[in-house]
Structures are given as C-alpha cells and as structure tokens.
Amino acid sequence: MAAVIDKEKCNACGICVRICPTDVYYGSKAKEIPVVTYPEECWHCNACVHDCPQNAIHLRIPLTMQVAYKS
Amino acid sequence: MAAVIDKEKCNACGICVRICPTDVYYGSKAKEIPVVTYPEECWHCNACVHDCPQNAIHLRIPLTMQVAYKS
Amino acid sequence: MKDIKLNIEQIEADVLCIGGGPAGLCAAIRASEKGANVVVADKSNTLRSGDAGMGNDHFMCHIPDVQGERPGFFSKIGKMSQAVTETFWENAYDLVKRWDSWGIPMKYEGKYEFAGHSMPGQPDFFLHFSGQNTKVKLTKQAKKTGVRIINRVMILDLIHDNGTIAGAIGFDVRESKLLVFKTKAVILATGKCMRLFPQNTGSLFNTSTSPINTGDGRAMAYRAGCELSDMELNDRWSGPKYFARNGRGSWMGVFKDPNGIQIGSGKEMTGHFYPQLHENYQKSGRGPVYMDLSDISDKEYEDMKYWLVHEANTPILDFFKEEGVDPKEHPFEFMTYGLFTPGGINYNEKCETPLAGLYAAGDEFMSFYIAGAAVFGSIAGESAASFAAKTKTSDEKHTQTLVVKTKEFLETVLNRTDGATWQEANSAIQQVMADYCGLVRSETMLTAGLEHLRRLKKKLPQVLMAQNTHELMRCVEVLNLFDIGEITFVAAQERKESRQHHHRVDFPFTNPMLNEQRLVVKNKKGQPVPEWRMKA
Amino acid sequence: MKDIKLNIEQIEADVLCIGGGPAGLCAAIRASEKGANVVVADKSNTLRSGDAGMGNDHFMCHIPDVQGERPGFFSKIGKMSQAVTETFWENAYDLVKRWDSWGIPMKYEGKYEFAGHSMPGQPDFFLHFSGQNTKVKLTKQAKKTGVRIINRVMILDLIHDNGTIAGAIGFDVRESKLLVFKTKAVILATGKCMRLFPQNTGSLFNTSTSPINTGDGRAMAYRAGCELSDMELNDRWSGPKYFARNGRGSWMGVFKDPNGIQIGSGKEMTGHFYPQLHENYQKSGRGPVYMDLSDISDKEYEDMKYWLVHEANTPILDFFKEEGVDPKEHPFEFMTYGLFTPGGINYNEKCETPLAGLYAAGDEFMSFYIAGAAVFGSIAGESAASFAAKTKTSDEKHTQTLVVKTKEFLETVLNRTDGATWQEANSAIQQVMADYCGLVRSETMLTAGLEHLRRLKKKLPQVLMAQNTHELMRCVEVLNLFDIGEITFVAAQERKESRQHHHRVDFPFTNPMLNEQRLVVKNKKGQPVPEWRMKA
C-alpha cells in the first residue's frame, strides 16, 4: 500500500482521485472514501498528499524503496 | 494466469486444489470449478496438469518464462 | 463471461495536443492564442501529471542583463540541430516572462536568481524558480485561453491519410468510451520513455522520472511513418538509493566513500555526467557511495530543502522525517539507475516532423529540460495553429476502418479472462532489453535477443488481458514499449561502434567517422529499418 | 475492520516430522515402524510437494554387484563429515530396495541401470529410476505404516524447554486454526532455501527448485539455539533460460556458442560445476550459450525425453510442444540462475542436532540428492523414535506463553489493512542480498547492507500484512528469509577470504589455513554470532 488514507480525516472530496497521475485510486466512488485499487502503481510523488485539503493522506514508503543511510 | 482450466472438461473433483504445491487454488470451493487465486505463485510444475483425471488443465507459460531458442 | 463494449464518441478541433505537460500545455495555450480550437488529451490529469507534476526548480535560459554572456555549453553538446539550439536560446527568456505573468514565481525574493546545476567554467544558466505548482498554473492559463482539456484519455494511434495527419484515436481510461479525435493538426508531447529497461528491483513503477511516460508519442509517430533518431544511445541517471528520483543537482552535498573520503573535488558536475560511479563502486566492492551533507552550512541546508520541495523531492524529505533521521547528519547512499531512451522524434526548429500536420515538442526528443518543453511547446502550438488555419478536415473513410479495427482489438483485450497481465508483458520486455541490449551489446546477443523479442511481440495481441480500461491503458503502454524495444535492437545492431552507453564488445572503439552522423529507424511495411543521416 | 481470530487446536504425538518430502516421509515411515506415534506436517500436500513433487530420475548409491568398486568422488568433496558420508554409502542400497518394495520403480527394464550425472574417471553412481510418482508412493507407504499426515500446515517455531524439544507451533494455511504440536521429538526436513537471492527477473516464484522451500527449518532451528553452518558459501545452478528448472544432467546435448562451435569437450560435467559459464558468455557479449541436441541419435533423444519426464521436466517439454518446436532441431539457451543457500543445519550421522530431541535430514544441510534425503530421513526417524521411547512429554508452562504470543502476532498480521505484502518484503530482502552480499562482497558493502537489512527487519512486524492464512504463510516464510539473510551477512563478514562463490574483493585469496575449518553462526540473545569449528 502506497497512499494511506486516514478515514477519520478524509471528507471524501475526491481531489486525490481526480489528480493522481498514475490513477491508483481507479474505481473510487464519488462522495465515498477513496480506495487504493492499484497501490503498486504509486510513484510516491506526493501529489495527493500535498493537495489533500484535509491533510488525510500519507505515503507508506515500500520496504523496497527505503533510502539506505548511515546511522 | 498460470494454470488455465477448461470449464467444459472440468468435473470439479478438486484434485488440483488438494495437491497444488503452492496452493494457487486457495479459496476454491468444494464441488465448484476451481479458481486460480494466486497465479503469480504457480511454479509451473505440472502437478495439476498431470493429476487431472479430466485432462482439463493446461499451463500458460508467462511471457517472462518462455525459453529462448533458435528458430 | 465478460462483455465490455466501448461506446464511440467523436471530438472535433483544429489542434490536438497529446500530453498535458509543460510542452503540451504551452503548445495548447499558444495555438489557442493564435485562434485555433484546441483540445489537450492527457492520460492523467494535467494538474499533476508527468515529470513536472510536482515541480521543477530550474529553468535554463539566457537573461543578458543578469548573466551577461550567453552560456555556450549546451549549444556545443546538444544532439539537437544548431537551428533548434539557437531557437531555444532566442526564445527561452520570453517564456520566463510569460510564465511569470501566469503566476509561476520565476523570481526568488524579487529577482532572477541563477544558481546550481551549472557546468565548470560556464556562466550559470539555470534560473532557480519556485515551480512546485507549475502544472496547476499552466492548466489554469490554458483554460483561461479557451483550451479544452480532456483528462484520463489514452491516445493509442494517429489517424493519417497519405502522409497527412487527420486526428487520433484513444479511449477513456475510466469509462468504456472510444474517443475519435478529428483534428487538422496533432502535437505530440508525451514526454520520456522510462519503462523499457529495468530501473530498480521490486517495482515497475520505481522510476526516477514519471513511470507513466512510456514513449507513447515515439511509438505512435513511428507507426504512422515518422523516423526515430538516436534510439540506441540510451542513457542513465543516478540518485538516492533505493528511492528512484531525479534531482541530483539539488542535493548540495559531496560524494564520499565508506571511509568518509570525498570522491572528486565536490565542485564538478561529475554526478550528472558519470552516473555509473555508484554502480562501479558497488560492483568493485568499494561502495557504497554516500551523498554527504555534513559540510554544508545551516543556511545552505535550509536553502537546499526549499529547492528540493520545488524540485519534487518532498517524498524523500518526508521519508527521512518519518524515519526520525536528519539527512544532514546521516549520509545516504546514491545508486545508478537503469537505462532509458532519450532518443525519439527529432523535430526541427519549427517542431515539424516528416508528416504534414504532425508536430513534436519537449521530451519527445532528448531534452532541454522544462525550459525546452516550454519553448518548443509554444513553437509547436504556433506551427500547428498556422497549419490548421490553411487546412481542411481530412476525409473520413480511412478513419472508419481504423476505428472498427481498434475497437475490436481493445474489446478483445478487455473481455479476455485468461492471459497475460500488462505487468507480465512489461517485465518480459525489460528482461529482454537488459539481457540482450543492455550495458553490453554484441552482434550475437542482439540477434538472439531480437528474435526472442519478436516472438513475444507476436504473441502479445493473443494474450494481453485487461480487467478494465485502466489496465487497458497499461496494456497499450506495453505494446508501445515492445515497438520501441524492437527499434532499439535494430539501431543497436546497425551502430557497429561503441559510443556513450552503447557499448559493443565486438566493436569496442568509437568511430570518429560517425561523429557527424546520426542513426534513424524507419517503419517500412511494418519492419524497422535503420538509415544514417548527416547531422543538421 | 477485519477481525480474524485463530482457534487453537492441540495435536499430540511422539514424533513430528516438519516437511513431507522424501526425507520427512522416510523419517516418518521408519519412526512409525519403530513403534512411534508419528505425525507429518507439510505446508502443501505430501503427494506433490517440494523438489521431488513431480519426480526425480537419479538415486545416488553403491550396488556392488552392478557397479563393482564404490565411487570415491563424493566422499572426498562433501561438506558433510566423513562419518555422514560413510553412513550414506552404507545405507543407500538398502533404501533402494525398500523404495522398490513400496512400488517406486528403481529398476529400468528389469535391471538396475546406472547412467548419467557422473564424474569423469569415476564409476557411474546414479541409479536411473522412474521417479515421477515417488511422492505418491511414499505418501501411500507412510499412511500404510500408520503415519498421520496433516497437509497445509505452516510450522513457524519450535517449542523447547532448556535445550529439550517439546513440540512446535504452526497454523493451518486454509483455515483460521493455530496448531500446537506437543511431541517428544521433532525432525526438520523442510528442504532448501531458495527465495533469499533473486533467481530470475519477472517473478519471485520462477526458481530452479521449489520456490516454497524458504529455509523454514534452518530459521526455526537457529531461533531455537542450533548453530547454522556454511551459510556464506552460497551456490548457483544453471539451466534453461528463462524457465528456471533444475535437471541440467538430463539434457543430453552439448553447449554451443552462437556460431555453432562446441564449448568444452561435451563429455565433462562442467555444466554442473561451472554454472557461471552462461552468465560469463552473456556479460562478455560472446553469448548466448545454447543447449544443442542436434548431434544425439533418435534413440538417445527418446531416452532423454523419457528421463526428463521422471526428472520433473514435463513443463518445458510441453512448452516446446505448444510452441510447435522440436528442441532437437532448435538449440535453446541456458542461463546461470541466482544464488541459493546450501548451508544449514550440519546434522551428524545420527541426524542429531545440538538440541535434545531435534533432528534434521535431507536438504537441511547441503545435499546428497534424493538418495541422501531417503537415507538420512530414515536415520532421523530411527533416532527420533528411540529418543521418544525414553522421554516423557515436557511440561506445558513455557508452551502457553509462546502460544499466546504467537497467536497475537499472527492475528495482528491477519487483521492489518494497510501495510506491506509478503511480496514487497521478499523483494526487499532479495534486493539487499543481491546488492550487498551477492557475487561481490567486501567489508564496506557488507557493513552497509547489514545495517539496511536490520533496519528493514525491525520494521517487518509493524508492517507485514496478510489477507488470509495463505498470505500469512508467505509472510512467515519471508520472516524466515530475513533471519537467514542476516546470518548470511554475518558469516560473509567473518570469512575474510575468497572461496567458491564467496568472492571478497578485499580478501581475494583463498586461505589454505581455513581448508579444515568451517564457519557456523549461533544465536546469542537474539544476535547472530560467528564461530569457527574444525571440520569433523
């Protein structure tokens, strides 16, 4: 799962569904909390995170994509 | 899709569901035509093909696994 | 049994822009300003789609009052023609002013600031701009200018009649609708081609620039008869490991080895021009190579973060934040990403292609970065509008046959219940490209690989399967990738020398006789055929 | 919100065999013959599970009347102790006779036939047998002997009390049931460890031997306190490209280069002992390497196909059939597959481990092929039965704590709705292994990689997610792979020399002082710690 929606905060405005470049939210219904139908197509671009007026979305970075750093 | 079931030939005996080593048929129901729930876990071992009494199964070899040969 | 049917809808306009990035939108705006009736078709939504979707912080240009002398660097190395290069430098400042007037903040703290991304010994030529919302502003401006934007449309083929463009055919990726665009001119602005070679393990979509840029414009143009240029000269980038993301120039640190010893002087741009550094260090056991920010000042660090936001790098900053780790104190690894395809439609300074009424702009060939997209987008729009003004709508007979054939094919893929997903097919083409036409090329490997690729390609129409129009879009992308892959093989076979990342072990030397030539591939009766051209 | 609960079910027996392959079933049969109450737990179904599921055509053994002198080859190179090697040769013929009596056709056309797979200068030591239905026959014999087989059970941890085994805990992979096995002895026979390193592009399950062999036995044994041996000495195989499948020895052709020139004499077994041949040819541009059957006679070809069927290679034969292509006339490519882990639980000649009541057999350490599984399976069964006969069931206090903790963890993974799939986690561990602990190893890369691996490993319990018990099984497999990966890194760091496929660029020489030593890794308070041992 890439984008994770906080169901408490989400007001089902549909902006994320409208703008997602890769359409991971395909199949979401108007006025319902969006569904992440194609999580493996998330580019982790942060568009939905940035544009969400409710601040209800955050990205879970997959284990395969976590930046390797020195502790 | 790895295993492809010929719905005309299949008699829903359930042998394939019983024996599949990787359990691609997980979730199939008794006395119904099996479903391939986890096609990407097919090892293409031919066990279900071999043991099917109706000869109703064949494997579609994925494009990524097709043996490269000289024509 | 599924029985999905596509309803046909026809859309008429003077000019169709395929792709709503900076090039497509600037094309649409200019064409509309010139009086054309314009429609933009975007696979996603122009507000956030493509490489520029979440921003870009550097706009190449020449502002004499600020920079003095015009930077010479790019006019020397560009693969574009001299005329294209000249045209770029002449027009870029104009675009800066236009963008600024549309609400894109091209000035920083009240003035033009040139900084970063530049070459040693050259004047700074990248204008630092706060571009996070560039696409939002361009979309707004396009609508204001009267452009019609249709989002979520996958265009799959051009309609043409004896070398003259008559429109394009596509489908809605959210609803079961086949869309037939009848237009007098078409502008291709679909961006880069990223998913042909494997980029990273773990995911087809972990790419350094947008993963949905799959060379659709190149593939359509090729099928319609355009030649493609420099397809064998694939390139690579580097960036954070394992979170593939461009923007190397915005990380202001230096590279260090595992013992904390700096690699290079830290001042040169080797990070851009020697992306294999990281792979070489890894493969030779000397790695990893770290991006080390520990020596920059706090002010520089804050500045860097500001620009990283505008360079679309917030997801990486957020990762560190969630991890509770400050990247200034924790050097992080860089890696070399996979090959991609900068070659493509070698448009001229008017953005013309060999097909009448067909134009190309932006990353359809190489790249002048976002500034090039803006400049040539605008020029394409102007060319298309003036072509449309003197052209009649083409006749419909040819279109009908294509529509029927396309509808039938798409519905077959949609209604198939056993077959290959687009992911399977995409993985298969990446496998063939990496194994036979990757970093090591030779006649024997290329021959064997091309045979295997063609065998798979022939099977695709019989096995591809999509559950809905979203997956159908991905299937069409993969079909485009197979065309581009085949062309890449043919070009790699023909270039019997080594040059840049095209490494022929059977022809290890660079042949200086080819310095002034470029290689193109043409579609001759469905077969890709290579030809050499003198550089313009 | 999901709310899946696991119901607890307790199963009591004298001996539990984990894994129902040739080793596990032979162990169960022998233990049962010796009077023990035996249960076999298999992740799949013993009829077709594991590497031997669809057959095997060669059984290593010494039948003096047929072969004369005992082959010396394996007693010299085996990583097993001299005592284990001796025990093997002494017992293998007996197993041949037992298998024959259970309906497995060990004779071909009425007599023992030794052919194929052998070493130059050595007597043939592989009995050719028609083993396609070996597992079916062994399952039948086990049931006949009174063994209870429970299929579709994933065992995830051993229950032990102060160094004495008390059972194991697992779950039903089709129903929401937690299974607590209370037994006096446990035999580990879970086979190889295949999914730790990437094997092939395109699929996690395109592996040359069974993809569901994920080192479960090794990981459980390690967590319970057993040391693991030779974990850094990873190995590779080769076989048909891109259809990963073992059975190289059954393809009777010769290797040829793209110009049809034979590679090697065609008689030696370099295909087994130089699997990198194919990768080296590919990487140097001289490839591909073809398996060429054109020079064998029609009779040899028919024989070959007969044995390929019994060697579980029907899917590849079927592929060629569907393709309408005769592999005798169409040379096909071979490739080098990825690394795997032959090291593991270095059991002694009685199949004992350092834990009282815990036994191991078959591919839990290296491999004597299917014959070794049969021999040591039987010995493990005998040892376990005699241990069980003199042991009381252990007390229950410790078990209850473990059951509660395990149930809670599994239910958390099952009820999580946002998180990482097993595929994501499996890809992540493969990425780390290949990039930092793969074909090139060095102190700096191993240190950086181990740190990254541990960071991911720590997150796993917080993010792993399964939709049902099937996916839960895969999640547990991946947790085992992370343990084994960590152990591999620690061992690779400790072996400061190069040996076989363990290539340390910072220690490029083989150190002869280490010839007589082996490296083990032990679990000390949750941390893997390396130790050197003299070879037995």
Side-chain angles (χ1 to χ4, degrees):
Chain A
M1 260 327 136
V4 180
I5 298 174
D6 184 330
K7 293 181 180 65
E8 302 297 310
K9 291 185 183 171
C10 175
N11 66 355
C13 72
I15 287 177
C16 55
V17 180
R18 190 151 69 94
I19 59 147
C20 173
T22 59
D23 212 9
V24 301
Y25 300 105
Y26 176 90
S28 296
K29 291 191 176 64
K31 293 176 190 167
E32 289 182 18
I33 289 173
V35 290
V36 183
T37 305
Y38 294 108
E40 72 281 12
E41 293 173 34
C42 178
W43 186 39
H44 305 88
C45 74
N46 251 10
C48 60
V49 174
H50 181 271
D51 288 356
C52 174
Q54 296 297 107
N55 213 2
I57 310 180
H58 91 275
L59 298 185
R60 189 186 67 75
I61 305 304
L63 297 166
T64 44
M65 283 180 69
Q66 310 216 341
V67 182
Y69 59 87
K70 251 187 182 168
S71 63
Chain B
M1 265 320 142
V4 180
I5 298 174
D6 184 330
K7 292 181 180 65
E8 301 298 308
K9 290 185 183 171
C10 174
N11 66 356
C13 71
I15 288 177
C16 55
V17 180
R18 191 151 70 95
I19 59 147
C20 173
T22 59
D23 212 9
V24 300
Y25 299 105
Y26 176 90
S28 295
K29 291 190 177 65
K31 293 177 192 169
E32 289 182 19
I33 290 174
V35 290
V36 182
T37 305
Y38 293 108
E40 73 280 12
E41 293 173 33
C42 178
W43 186 39
H44 304 89
C45 74
N46 251 9
C48 60
V49 174
H50 181 271
D51 289 355
C52 174
Q54 296 297 107
N55 213 3
I57 311 179
H58 91 276
L59 299 185
R60 190 186 67 75
I61 305 303
L63 298 166
T64 44
M65 283 180 69
Q66 308 216 342
V67 182
Y69 60 88
K70 251 187 181 167
S71 64
Chain C
M1 289 319 252
K2 292 199 284 181
D3 189 23
I4 305 175
K5 292 272 180 231
L6 297 173
N7 300 315
I8 300 173
E9 197 174 304
Q10 187 163 298
I11 294 154
E12 290 187 38
D14 294 324
V15 176
L16 164 67
C17 298
I18 307 180
L25 290 173
C26 285
I29 292 166
R30 181 65 64 97
S32 188
E33 286 172 352
K34 295 286 174 185
N37 177 354
V38 184
V39 61
V40 171
D42 193 295
K43 281 204 279 196
S44 306
N45 184 306
T46 63
L47 288 167
R48 292 292 178 200
S49 60
D51 288 350
M54 281 299 284
N56 184 291
D57 74 342
H58 54 297
F59 193 103
M60 185 162 68
C61 61
H62 180 222
I63 305 181
D65 290 351
V66 185
Q67 295 152 292
E69 192 188 353
R70 182 198 288 182
F73 189 77
F74 271 91
S75 63
K76 285 181 212 141
I77 66 149
K79 286 213 177 62
M80 277 100 161
S81 70
Q82 200 60 43
V84 167
T85 307
E86 279 301 313
T87 304
F88 170 77
W89 289 113
E90 276 160 26
N91 287 273
Y93 184 28
D94 184 48
L95 263 298
V96 170
K97 288 179 281 189
R98 281 166 65 83
W99 280 27
D100 204 62
S101 76
W102 300 340
I104 302 167
M106 304 302 286
K107 291 180 180 169
Y108 181 65
E109 294 177 353
K111 60 180 176 63
Y112 290 125
E113 189 195 77
F114 283 86
H117 301 271
S118 57
M119 313 290 154
Q122 286 284 319
D124 282 339
F125 49 83
F126 278 113
L127 183 65
H128 242 162
F129 78 110
S130 304
Q132 191 178 27
N133 294 313
T134 301
K135 293 288 307 293
V136 176
K137 305 287 185 185
L138 290 177
T139 300
K140 204 172 144 195
Q141 183 64 22
K143 287 188 176 163
K144 200 170 143 188
T145 322
V147 171
R148 180 176 171 198
I149 295 175
I150 311 186
N151 289 310
R152 308 290 172 191
V153 173
M154 175 80 200
I155 305 286
L156 72 154
D157 259 315
L158 300 171
I159 304 172
H160 58 102
D161 207 2
N162 280 325
T164 301
I165 286 299
I169 188 163
F171 57 90
D172 191 303
V173 303
R174 289 214 179 141
E175 291 169 43
S176 299
K177 273 197 304 198
L178 193 79
L179 301 170
V180 182
F181 292 84
K182 289 188 62 70
T183 66
K184 297 170 182 170
V186 170
I187 297 167
L188 295 170
T190 67
K192 297 186 173 70
C193 179
M194 285 309 294
R195 291 211 321 268
L196 183 58
F197 292 88
Q199 295 298 307
N200 243 313
T201 51
S203 162
L204 289 164
F205 269 53
N206 187 8
T207 55
S208 55
T209 62
S210 178
I212 59 167
N213 288 348
T214 47
D216 303 335
R218 287 159 173 84
M220 283 187 269
Y222 163 77
R223 288 193 294 264
C226 272
E227 60 188 36
L228 299 183
S229 187
D230 298 90
M231 297 297 283
E232 75 289 5
L233 297 178
N234 302 102
D235 208 349
R236 311 183 75 181
W237 284 313
S238 61
K241 181 177 186 173
Y242 290 103
F243 198 137
R245 201 58 39 118
N246 250 14
R248 152 73 193 97
S250 298
W251 294 102
M252 285 175 59
V254 292
F255 291 128
K256 289 191 181 169
D257 77 5
N259 302 312
I261 311 289
Q262 188 172 313
I263 300 168
S265 75
K267 301 292 176 205
E268 67 276 80
M269 281 198 66
T270 44
H272 278 296
F273 295 113
Y274 180 31
Q276 313 97 287
L277 170 77
H278 313 287
E279 189 172 278
N280 290 350
Y281 264 65
Q282 177 182 327
K283 286 196 173 170
S284 63
R286 289 173 295 163
V289 171
Y290 295 91
M291 165 57 66
D292 190 310
L293 303 166
S294 60
D295 299 329
I296 66 174
S297 71
D298 288 348
K299 166 82 172 72
E300 284 172 320
Y301 187 52
E302 290 311 311
D303 279 355
M304 184 194 80
K305 287 196 284 188
Y306 175 85
W307 292 115
L308 279 171
V309 167
H310 291 284
E311 184 68 348
N313 271 292
T314 53
I316 293 183
L317 295 176
D318 286 358
F319 166 77
F320 282 119
K321 208 179 296 168
E322 278 212 27
E323 196 78 2
V325 155
D326 184 347
K328 190 170 183 330
E329 282 157 33
H330 295 270
F332 57 95
E333 296 183 34
F334 257 47
M335 71 180 286
T336 311
Y337 302 141
L339 291 165
F340 70 98
T341 308
I345 309 163
N346 190 5
Y347 52 85
N348 69 10
E349 68 279 10
K350 290 177 187 161
C351 296
E352 291 164 337
T353 74
L355 292 185
L358 184 66
Y359 303 87
D363 294 350
E364 292 289 3
F365 185 65
M366 301 295 163
S367 184
F368 273 98
Y369 308 97
I370 200 167
V375 168
F376 293 105
S378 300
I379 291 171
E382 204 163 315
S383 296
S386 92
F387 180 87
K390 59 188 185 199
T391 309
K392 279 188 240 167
T393 305
S394 181
D395 90 309
E396 239 183 271
K397 243 174 57 192
H398 182 72
T399 310
Q400 270 316 311
T401 325
L402 182 70
V403 168
V404 170
K405 227 180 81 183
T406 304
K407 183 176 181 312
E408 194 183 297
F409 172 68
L410 296 177
E411 288 173 351
T412 304
V413 174
L414 278 170
N415 291 308
R416 189 168 277 140
T417 48
D418 290 311
T421 61
W422 70 266
Q423 288 97 332
E424 179 188 315
N426 202 155
S427 296
I429 182 72
Q430 290 195 351
Q431 192 177 43
V432 178
M433 297 310 294
D435 288 352
Y436 298 90
C437 192
L439 296 170
V440 171
R441 294 170 179 178
S442 73
E443 190 56 41
T444 54
M445 289 301 293
L446 290 166
T447 304
L450 181 54
E451 185 175 10
H452 190 64
L453 184 156
R454 284 182 166 148
R455 198 175 285 140
L456 298 179
K457 187 180 163 187
K458 208 172 146 190
K459 288 177 188 170
L460 279 187
Q462 273 85 54
V463 296
L464 270 180
M465 167 178 85
Q467 285 195 39
N468 52 46
T469 47
H470 173 87
E471 296 180 13
L472 187 63
M473 160 175 65
R474 301 277 174 253
C475 286
V476 171
E477 290 173 348
V478 173
L479 286 164
N480 288 337
L481 292 174
F482 267 84
D483 275 347
I484 293 170
E486 185 182 12
I487 293 162
T488 305
F489 265 93
V490 167
Q493 277 184 323
E494 176 66 18
R495 187 179 285 280
K496 297 186 197 315
E497 61 151 3
S498 291
R499 188 174 288 260
Q500 298 158 34
H501 294 278
H502 171 73
H503 178 53
R504 285 283 301 247
V505 288
D506 45 356
F507 297 101
F509 296 107
T510 297
N511 178 359
M513 303 299 287
L514 297 176
N515 286 355
E516 297 309 314
Q517 295 195 57
R518 60 187 173 80
L519 183 58
V520 304
V521 176
K522 284 192 84 158
N523 176 354
K524 292 200 173 162
K525 296 179 188 164
Q527 291 298 311
V529 177
E531 279 177 29
W532 290 93
R533 299 261 182 279
M534 285 309 291
K535 280 187 186 164
Chain D
M1 290 319 251
K2 292 200 284 182
D3 189 22
I4 304 175
K5 292 270 180 234
L6 297 174
N7 299 314
I8 299 173
E9 198 175 303
Q10 186 162 301
I11 293 153
E12 290 187 37
D14 293 326
V15 176
L16 164 66
C17 298
I18 306 180
L25 290 173
C26 285
I29 291 167
R30 181 65 63 99
S32 189
E33 285 172 354
K34 293 286 174 184
N37 177 353
V38 184
V39 59
V40 171
D42 193 294
K43 281 203 279 196
S44 306
N45 184 306
T46 64
L47 287 167
R48 292 292 179 198
S49 59
D51 288 350
M54 281 300 283
N56 185 292
D57 75 342
H58 54 297
F59 193 103
M60 185 163 67
C61 60
H62 180 222
I63 306 181
D65 290 350
V66 185
Q67 296 152 292
E69 195 188 352
R70 183 198 288 182
F73 189 77
F74 271 90
S75 63
K76 284 179 211 143
I77 68 149
K79 285 213 177 63
M80 277 100 162
S81 69
Q82 199 60 42
V84 166
T85 308
E86 278 302 312
T87 304
F88 171 77
W89 288 113
E90 276 160 27
N91 286 273
Y93 184 28
D94 183 49
L95 262 299
V96 171
K97 288 181 281 188
R98 281 166 66 82
W99 279 27
D100 203 62
S101 75
W102 301 341
I104 301 167
M106 304 303 287
K107 292 180 181 170
Y108 181 64
E109 294 178 352
K111 60 182 177 68
Y112 291 125
E113 189 196 76
F114 284 86
H117 301 272
S118 55
M119 313 290 154
Q122 286 284 319
D124 282 337
F125 48 82
F126 278 114
L127 183 66
H128 243 162
F129 78 109
S130 304
Q132 191 178 27
N133 295 314
T134 302
K135 294 287 307 291
V136 176
K137 304 288 185 184
L138 291 177
T139 301
K140 205 173 141 194
Q141 182 63 23
K143 286 189 176 163
K144 202 172 141 187
T145 322
V147 171
R148 180 174 170 201
I149 296 174
I150 311 185
N151 289 311
R152 307 292 171 193
V153 174
M154 176 80 199
I155 305 285
L156 72 153
D157 260 316
L158 299 172
I159 304 172
H160 58 102
D161 207 3
N162 281 324
T164 302
I165 286 298
I169 186 163
F171 57 90
D172 191 305
V173 303
R174 289 214 178 141
E175 290 169 44
S176 299
K177 272 198 304 200
L178 192 79
L179 302 170
V180 181
F181 293 84
K182 288 187 61 67
T183 64
K184 297 171 183 169
V186 171
I187 297 167
L188 295 170
T190 68
K192 298 186 172 68
C193 179
M194 286 307 294
R195 293 210 321 268
L196 182 59
F197 291 89
Q199 295 297 308
N200 243 314
T201 51
S203 161
L204 289 164
F205 269 55
N206 187 7
T207 55
S208 54
T209 61
S210 178
I212 58 167
N213 288 347
T214 47
D216 303 335
R218 287 162 174 81
M220 283 188 269
Y222 163 77
R223 288 193 294 265
C226 272
E227 60 189 35
L228 299 183
S229 186
D230 297 272
M231 296 297 284
E232 75 290 4
L233 297 177
N234 302 102
D235 208 349
R236 310 183 74 183
W237 283 314
S238 63
K241 182 176 187 174
Y242 288 105
F243 198 138
R245 201 55 40 116
N246 252 14
R248 152 72 194 99
S250 299
W251 294 101
M252 284 176 60
V254 291
F255 290 129
K256 290 191 181 170
D257 78 5
N259 302 312
I261 311 288
Q262 188 172 313
I263 300 169
S265 73
K267 301 294 175 202
E268 67 275 81
M269 282 198 65
T270 43
H272 278 295
F273 296 112
Y274 181 32
Q276 313 98 286
L277 171 77
H278 313 286
E279 188 173 278
N280 290 350
Y281 265 65
Q282 176 181 327
K283 287 196 171 169
S284 63
R286 290 173 294 163
V289 172
Y290 295 91
M291 165 57 66
D292 191 311
L293 302 166
S294 59
D295 298 329
I296 67 174
S297 71
D298 288 347
K299 166 81 171 74
E300 284 171 320
Y301 187 51
E302 290 311 310
D303 279 356
M304 185 195 80
K305 286 196 284 188
Y306 175 84
W307 293 115
L308 280 171
V309 167
H310 291 285
E311 184 69 347
N313 270 292
T314 53
I316 293 183
L317 295 176
D318 285 358
F319 166 78
F320 281 119
K321 209 179 293 168
E322 278 210 29
E323 196 78 2
V325 154
D326 184 346
K328 188 168 184 330
E329 280 157 33
H330 295 270
F332 57 95
E333 295 183 35
F334 256 48
M335 70 180 287
T336 311
Y337 303 139
L339 290 165
F340 69 98
T341 308
I345 310 164
N346 190 5
Y347 52 84
N348 69 11
E349 68 278 11
K350 290 178 187 160
C351 296
E352 291 164 336
T353 74
L355 291 185
L358 183 67
Y359 303 87
D363 293 351
E364 292 289 3
F365 185 64
M366 303 293 163
S367 184
F368 273 99
Y369 308 97
I370 200 168
V375 168
F376 293 105
S378 300
I379 291 171
E382 205 163 314
S383 296
S386 92
F387 181 87
K390 60 189 184 201
T391 308
K392 277 187 240 165
T393 305
S394 182
D395 91 309
E396 240 183 272
K397 246 173 57 190
H398 182 72
T399 310
Q400 270 316 313
T401 325
L402 181 71
V403 168
V404 170
K405 227 179 80 182
T406 304
K407 183 175 182 309
E408 195 182 297
F409 172 68
L410 296 177
E411 287 173 353
T412 304
V413 174
L414 278 169
N415 291 309
R416 188 169 276 139
T417 49
D418 289 313
T421 60
W422 70 265
Q423 288 98 334
E424 179 187 315
N426 202 155
S427 295
I429 181 73
Q430 289 194 352
Q431 192 177 42
V432 178
M433 297 310 295
D435 288 353
Y436 297 90
C437 191
L439 296 170
V440 171
R441 295 169 178 178
S442 72
E443 189 56 41
T444 55
M445 290 300 293
L446 289 167
T447 304
L450 181 55
E451 184 175 10
H452 191 63
L453 184 155
R454 284 183 166 149
R455 199 176 284 139
L456 299 180
K457 187 179 162 187
K458 208 171 147 188
K459 288 176 188 170
L460 279 187
Q462 273 85 54
V463 296
L464 270 180
M465 167 178 85
Q467 286 196 39
N468 52 46
T469 47
H470 173 87
E471 295 180 13
L472 187 62
M473 160 175 66
R474 300 277 174 254
C475 286
V476 171
E477 290 173 348
V478 173
L479 286 165
N480 288 338
L481 292 174
F482 267 84
D483 275 347
I484 294 170
E486 186 182 13
I487 293 163
T488 304
F489 265 93
V490 167
Q493 279 184 321
E494 176 67 17
R495 187 177 285 279
K496 297 185 197 314
E497 61 150 4
S498 290
R499 188 173 288 259
Q500 297 159 35
H501 294 277
H502 172 74
H503 178 52
R504 284 284 301 249
V505 288
D506 45 356
F507 296 100
F509 295 107
T510 296
N511 178 359
M513 301 301 287
L514 297 175
N515 286 356
E516 296 310 313
Q517 295 195 57
R518 60 188 173 81
L519 183 57
V520 304
V521 176
K522 284 192 85 158
N523 177 356
K524 293 200 173 162
K525 294 179 189 164
Q527 290 299 312
V529 177
E531 280 178 28
W532 289 95
R533 298 261 182 279
M534 285 308 290
K535 280 187 186 164

